[in-house]
Amino acid sequence: MTHRVYVHQHIVPPFYRDLLAKAGSAEAGGRALPDWKPEAALGVRPKPPPGPAAQ
């Protein structure tokens, strides 16, 4: 069985979001830019499947 690692994220660090806001781009696609933090990103990782690789 093959397992994949899901690594897709939309990362907008605070310094970059601030720069975009100063340039007049406070949103993307009609939505506010996310308040991204490394701790929050780690909290949404999926749990690994059970098995030897998870040990």
Side-chain angles (χ1 to χ4, degrees):
M1 174 179 245
T2 302
H3 295 286
R4 295 182 180 178
V5 176
Y6 182 79
V7 295
H8 173 212
Q9 291 190 38
H10 294 258
I11 299 172
V12 183
F15 79 91
Y16 187 59
R17 189 180 66 223
D18 292 345
L19 288 172
L20 289 173
K22 287 178 185 176
S25 295
E27 60 180 46
R31 297 174 62 184
L33 295 172
D35 184 19
W36 182 86
K37 292 182 176 81
E39 299 81 14
L42 292 172
V44 297
R45 292 183 300 175
K47 302 293 183 222
Q55 296 177 358

